[in-house]
């Protein structure tokens, strides 16, 4: 477990470049601004303040925006290393996903050679590759599991598998959304920022 470091050590501006592995969709608006879903933008903005540069390896479209609400990043040190969209429940989509994961692996391997730290977001397929590459390249890393950590009746089998892999193979701290978790060397209770500080201050007035 020598590769495990504290979150405080990882949120250190001496570490210049952070790589984020995520399957959260990103877009460019008509003005060329990088966009994503509002809560995610706030989370990544908060993290980006601690680094000289942030590279997000994620699916990205260069034109067109989703019909949903989206938000620009405030931090200007965030860029995207795009990979193809992937996923789906049908056998055909799972078959196609296998070949996409080979491409993801090659892209992630390039990113791992230039970043100082990895932030791996789970549960998703590309995040699983992140766990593997963090181990191979011995990169200091921290992760977050954004789904429900406690088991539930209709939980997808893939989510159960991902939680098993985290518990068994992850060699870095992983924050989980849970009120019942007994924190360990790997797992700790966590929350994600949903508001900017000025929004909270405005609510207090």
């Amino acid at each position: 477990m020598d590769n495990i470091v504290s979150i405080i050590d990882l949120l250190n501006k001496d570490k210049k470049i952070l790589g984020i592995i995520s399957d959260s969709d990103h877009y460019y608006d008509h003005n060329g601004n990088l966009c994503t879903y509002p809560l995610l933008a706030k989370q990544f903005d908060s993290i980006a303040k601690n680094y000289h540069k942030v590279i997000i390896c994620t699916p990205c479209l260069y034109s067109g925006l989703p019909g949903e609400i989206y938000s620009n990043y405030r931090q200007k040190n965030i860029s995207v290393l795009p990979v193809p969209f992937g996923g789906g429940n049908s056998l055909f989509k799972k078959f196609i996903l296998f070949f996409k994961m080979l491409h993801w692996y090659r892209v992630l391997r390039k990113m791992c050679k230039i970043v100082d730290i990895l932030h791996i977001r789970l549960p998703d397929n590309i995040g699983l590759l992140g766990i593997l590459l963090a181990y191979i390249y011995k990169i200091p890393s921290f992760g977050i599991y954004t789904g429900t950590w406690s088991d539930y009746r209709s939980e997808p089998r893939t989510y159960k598998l991902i939680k098993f892999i985290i518990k068994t193979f992850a060699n870095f701290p992983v924050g989980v959304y849970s009120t019942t978790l007994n924190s360990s060397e790997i797992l700790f209770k966590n929350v994600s920022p949903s508001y900017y500080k000025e929004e909270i201050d405005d609510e207090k007035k």
Side-chain angles (χ1 to χ4, degrees):
M1 294 298 182
D2 294 337
N3 199 39
I4 296 178
V5 293
S6 72
I7 294 296
I8 299 300
D9 291 333
L10 292 171
L11 295 177
N12 186 330
K13 290 185 180 180
D14 291 337
K15 302 292 186 179
K16 298 297 185 182
I17 304 177
L18 171 70
I20 297 178
I21 300 174
S22 171
D23 72 343
S24 303
D25 300 344
H26 281 66
Y27 305 84
Y28 284 98
D29 66 17
H30 302 298
N31 296 317
N33 298 310
L34 184 62
C35 306
T36 190
Y37 304 108
L39 291 183
L40 189 70
K42 293 174 183 179
Q43 293 175 23
F44 287 1
D45 270 336
S46 297
I47 294 174
K49 293 177 182 178
N50 297 284
Y51 297 95
H52 174 67
K53 185 177 182 180
V54 175
I55 303 171
I56 308 172
C57 188
T58 186
C60 185
L61 291 177
Y62 287 90
S63 62
L65 289 167
E68 309 154 69
I69 298 174
Y70 60 92
S71 178
N72 298 337
Y73 284 108
R74 294 188 177 186
Q75 302 299 315
K76 302 305 180 184
N77 60 339
I78 298 175
S79 60
V80 165
L81 183 62
V83 292
F85 288 81
N89 297 321
S90 69
L91 289 176
F92 177 74
K93 288 185 177 180
K94 293 296 184 185
F95 177 75
I96 297 299
L97 177 62
F98 172 77
F99 293 98
K100 287 187 176 181
M101 289 185 74
L102 294 177
H103 177 72
W104 293 349
Y105 181 85
R106 290 192 291 268
V107 174
L108 287 171
R109 187 174 58 183
K110 291 179 181 178
M111 186 176 77
C112 287
K113 294 179 180 179
I114 61 174
V115 301
D116 300 298
I117 293 174
L118 283 177
H119 173 42
I120 302 170
R121 297 180 65 85
L122 299 154
D124 56 63
N125 296 307
I126 196 170
L128 286 179
L129 291 178
I131 294 177
L132 174 64
L133 287 164
Y135 178 82
I136 292 174
Y137 287 94
K138 308 299 182 186
I139 302 174
S141 305
F142 63 105
I144 183 171
Y145 185 93
T146 60
T148 301
W149 183 255
S150 300
D151 296 336
Y152 55 95
R153 181 173 298 178
S154 59
E155 183 177 24
R157 292 180 181 178
T158 51
Y159 284 18
K160 293 181 179 180
L161 175 62
I162 289 171
K163 289 194 289 187
F164 171 78
I165 291 173
I166 291 172
K167 294 174 184 177
T168 308
F169 297 105
N171 58 350
F172 51 84
V174 178
V176 302
Y177 300 155
S178 174
T179 58
T180 60
L181 175 76
N182 292 321
S183 297
S184 65
E185 191 175 24
I186 293 293
L187 302 175
F188 64 95
K189 296 178 183 178
N190 184 59
V191 296
S192 293
S194 298
Y195 299 94
Y196 291 114
K197 183 179 183 301
E198 59 267 29
E199 292 175 330
I200 296 175
D201 291 340
D202 287 342
E203 288 296 320
K204 290 179 179 179
K205 294 178 180 178

